[in-house]
Structures are given as structure tokens and as C-alpha cells.
Amino acid sequence: MLDGILQGLSTAASPVNLLMVFVGCFAGTFIGMLPGLGPISAIALMIPITYGFDPATGMILMAGVYYGAIFGGSTSAILINAPGVAGTVATSFDGYPLAKQGHAGKALAIAAYSSFSGGTIAAIFLLFAAPALASVSLSFQSADYFALMVLGLTAVSAFAGKGKFLVAVLMTLFGLMLSTIGTDQTAGLQRFTFGSLDLIDGISFLLLAMATFALSEALMVVLKPEKISQEAEEATKGKLGSMKVSREEVKDLAPVVGRSSVLGFFIGVLPGAGATIASFLAYGMERSFASAKEKLKFGKGSLRGLAAPETANNAACSGSFVPLLTLGIPGSGTTAVMLGALISYGVQPGPRLFVEQPAVFWSVIISMYIGNIILLVLNLPLIPYIARLLALPKQILTPLILFFSLIGVYLVSFNTFDIHIMVIVAILAIIFRLINFPLAPMLLGFILGGMMEDNLRRALAISDGELSFLWERPITASILGITVVVLLAPLIQNIIDVRRRKALKVNDGEG
């Protein structure tokens, strides 16, 4: 193993490969900032370019684009509430409110530090544990994935304000309903398409995310110009906020980064889970761990709420290379494209890869650590200039948001029908915002809905339609047990708080 690591280090440190890491990170960062141009499109375009490259060089370039795009996707999410990639949706929940409060510089700096920490910690895990973690990936079955999705849905409590848990659950159910539109992949039947060919493939995640956040935000500026302009004036008055993170904030965020790195990495290791689920789970976990006072800040500009998903999504990106390299199983759409690239190079990923082609295996892993350093060095000096985007007058910024939102969705499908659906969803989002219904649970339900259904069907098929699969396997039972604890924890906490108040009243009465 040590010989393989040293061989990978010498390969990754060669001038050509260092240049590829830089180019990949630089291109990925800007691709991630642009809504609609995710890492899948960029990597697919780069495959023909890399045909003449050495397999290790080609994979290093594409890996740089991948985690660079996730790293850069936080910028548009924080500044204009337009997540560039799916993995940065949770970043916008607290990143955008921080920017509106005049702390855009600090928000972008924390996102950069968190991304670097998550990616670096995950790269170290990957370096020492990749072969061993391959067996962990294989041990997960459909029942376990279904339980994991159910656990993911419990994150809905993180997006529910006080006394609004039922409303958040209703929005989650709405998201689950939206995920059923299109063709049933198992039976091949069309569902809720109303005879429209344009709905056969369902509603795309990008369309829903852009309509819910970016487009609805731009339309709210038009509907409530006075209120929005006052907020913008307050946010951009004088300086755009310091990039400095205080020592107290570092101490507060260090445990968050540690927990989210571990969670994100292990979620990334599971094929099909990915950065999006990791970011939502990390956000929900941190809100559960937060004190009652800190919980109130979530969704309104919490530094923990920003650091957790940013750390987890970058850690998950590194983790997703475990099933790709050691098993030949793509963990996401992006790694599926990279799998195709590997095979086109004549490299067969699998359990023997790190023995037969150690230069490819270890150089890709080591390049991730180098890439995270490059991303930090690239992004930190640019933050003061990027943050000035907020200083643009709303008359200019709002049309830009509308343009990038609509063009981003159109460039994915080249179908004007998607634009019509996007406008309808944006109008619904505005109505929900006006009546104080949270939008994040809807997106969470939509993301997990398809995967939940597929894994539930497979689990039922394996168990002959019996629900015994829920408790037959220790992994499934353990995950469901954690889900029950997570769901009951707020209820138990409320009971404890009520008893404390009663005890205080009794003591005050006696006093």
C-alpha cells in the first residue's frame, strides 16, 4: 500500500498533473457558480479533450472539475439565492440570509474554509480507508437505502419553525408527490403526465430548485420593491462585511466541521446517496445538536447552518470516489460519467484497480488534497470582488437573476415547456412564502422521493411483499431506530421544557 501511495504521490506531483488540478479546479469553480451548468455537463464535454492524456492525468482533471464545481456552487447560493449545483441548495438556507444582513464576505469565507476542511478530511479518510470501505458499500442493500432515505426525511424538523412542524410535513409530502410525476421506471407506466409528452421524464431538480429559490426571490423584489430595497440598502451600506472569522466562531464551528466531514464522507461512500443528501442530513443533524437559542438562528443566518452543508457536500464528493474506484459503481450522475471516461481509457475500475494500476488509483486521491489547497488559494483572494455582486443596484441584479435562472434551466433540456413549468412553480413558491410555508421541506421530499420509491419496491420484491425487511437486517433496524430517536427527541425536549417551566412557577410561587 505504501509503495502505491508513493507512486501516486509522484504521479500527482508531476508538473503536468499539477497543471491539470489547477485547470480543473479553476474551471469547476466558475462552472459551479453558473446555474444549470453542473459538473456533469462540464465533465462530459472534457472526455473528448482528455482522450490523448494519460488515464491518471485525465481523471485528475475531471476530479478537479467535480469538486471545484461543488466548491464554487456555494457562491451563487449565498449571493443571489441561486444554487449552482444540487449539493449547494442547503447552503442557501443560511448563506443567503447572511449576505442580506451585510455579511457576504464572512459567509463566503466560512463556505471556503468549510469546503476545504471537509474535502481535506475526506481525502485523508480516502487515502487510508478506501479499500476497506469498499466492503461497507457492498453491504448496503435496498432495505438499508430505504431506511436511510426515511432518516433523511426526518431533517424536515430542521426547516420547521416553532409550532410549524405539521406545515413542514405537508410541504414534504407535496415534494414527494411532485417526485412521482413522469414515467414509473419499474413498471414503465406514465403517472400524472395528463397526456403531455413533456412530462414523461418528470420535473427536473434544477427546474424546481431555481424556480423555488432564485426566480421566486427575483419576483418578490418586483412584488415588494420597497421592502426589498430597504433590506438591500441596509445590507450593502458601507462595507460588504468582513471576511474575518473570530476565534470564538472558529471554536464554535470546529466540532460542526468535524461531525459534518465524517457524516458527508460516509454518505458519499454509499452508491446513489451523494452530496445533496449529505448536505441536507448534516444541516438537520446540526440543528438537532444546537441549543434552543441557536436553533432560532437556523434559516435566518446561522454560521453553523452554513458550515455544516458546505463541509458535508465536499466530503461526500471525495467519498463518492470509493465505490467508483474500488467497485466500479458510480455513486452519482457525475461519477457515472467519470466511470465511462475510465473505461474509455482502457482502465477497468474494481477491487483490483489499486493493485494493478496504483498510479491511477492513488494519484486521483492525492490530487484531491492538492486540489483543495488550490481551491482555497484561488477563492479567498476573489471573495472581496465576488461579494461586490451584492452592491449592484436591484434594477440590474434582478434581471440578471431572472436571465441566469431561465437560461440555466433552458440549456439543460432546450424545451420551452420547462420555462412555463418553472414560472408556475415560482408563482406557487411566492404564495407559499407569503403564507409562511417553508420551501426547503418540499425540495427535500422531491430529492428523496424517487430514491425512496425505487428502494422500497426492490426491498418489497426481495421479501415477497412482506414488511419484515424493516427489521430483518441489523443495519436497517439500526437506521430506523435512529430515525425514531430523532423524531421523538423534539417531543421529549418539549416535555422537559414544560416541566421545567412548571417547576420554576412553583418555586416562584413559594418564594
Side-chain angles (χ1 to χ4, degrees), residues 3 64 72 95 104 112 147 159 166 194 211 228 238 275 420 463-464 470 491 501 509:
D3 291 339
F159 313 118
L166 184 59
F194 305 103
I228 303 292
H420 300 152
S463 63
D464 294 325
L470 292 172
L491 179 64
R501 289 193 203 104

Side-chain angles (χ1 to χ4, degrees), residues 115-410:
S115 297
F116 170 76
S117 303
T120 302
I121 292 169
I124 293 169
F125 282 162
L126 195 59
L127 190 65
F128 294 105
L133 285 169
S135 58
V136 176
S137 294
L138 283 176
S139 67
F140 263 68
Q141 296 181 7
S142 297
D144 309 322
Y145 278 112
F146 171 72
L148 188 66
M149 300 302 127
V150 174
L151 176 61
L153 283 179
T154 61
V156 67
S157 60
F159 313 118
K162 193 170 183 181
K164 289 190 175 181
F165 182 73
L166 184 59
V167 171
V169 170
L170 287 172
M171 292 299 289
T172 307
L173 291 174
F174 183 54
L176 289 170
M177 289 164 63
L178 289 175
S179 70
T180 62
I181 295 172
T183 304
D184 182 349
Q185 298 299 319
T186 306
L189 299 173
Q190 293 180 25
R191 303 182 300 188
F192 310 112
T193 59
F194 305 103
S196 173
L197 293 175
D198 294 301
L199 286 173
I200 285 177
D201 293 329
I203 298 172
S204 77
F205 171 80
L206 178 69
L207 185 156
L208 196 66
M210 297 304 295
T212 304
F213 293 101
L215 193 58
S216 67
E217 184 69 30
L219 293 175
M220 284 293 284
V221 173
V222 178
L223 288 173
K224 293 186 173 182
E226 293 180 6
K227 183 182 176 184
I228 303 292
S229 61
Q230 285 174 5
E231 289 177 359
E233 190 179 341
E234 289 172 9
T236 56
K237 189 183 291 183
K239 294 182 181 178
L240 287 167
S242 170
M243 287 171 53
K244 187 177 179 182
V245 183
S246 68
R247 189 173 295 178
E248 290 75 18
E249 287 168 341
V250 171
K251 285 182 181 178
D252 187 45
L253 295 178
V256 176
V257 168
R259 287 190 294 263
S260 300
S261 296
V262 175
L263 175 69
F265 178 73
F266 283 103
I267 293 295
V269 166
L270 304 176
T276 308
I277 293 172
S279 62
F280 275 102
L281 282 174
Y283 188 89
M285 178 181 72
E286 283 311 317
R287 191 181 182 280
S288 299
F289 287 160
S291 62
K293 185 179 178 182
E294 183 65 31
K295 279 181 183 177
L296 298 175
K297 296 179 183 177
F298 275 72
K300 299 174 183 175
S302 168
L303 298 184
R304 288 187 178 192
L306 171 61
E310 264 307 289
T311 304
N313 62 27
N314 280 270
C317 284
S318 298
S320 67
F321 279 84
V322 172
L324 174 68
L325 297 175
T326 59
L327 301 172
I329 299 171
S332 63
T334 308
T335 49
V337 176
M338 294 176 78
L339 174 64
L342 263 177
I343 294 169
S344 70
Y345 297 148
V347 176
Q348 184 59 50
R352 299 285 302 167
L353 179 64
F354 70 97
V355 176
E356 295 172 354
Q357 304 237 18
V360 176
F361 185 87
W362 295 112
S363 65
V364 171
I365 293 172
I366 291 167
S367 75
M368 290 180 187
Y369 180 76
I370 299 169
N372 277 292
I373 296 172
I374 290 173
L375 282 169
L376 193 66
V377 173
L378 267 177
N379 280 268
L380 282 178
L382 293 174
I383 285 174
Y385 304 101
I386 295 170
R388 292 195 179 277
L389 180 65
L390 280 180
L392 286 173
K394 287 292 175 182
Q395 293 88 340
I396 298 173
L397 187 58
T398 302
L400 282 175
I401 295 172
L402 287 168
F403 173 78
F404 282 116
S405 303
L406 296 170
I407 292 297
V409 169
Y410 181 74

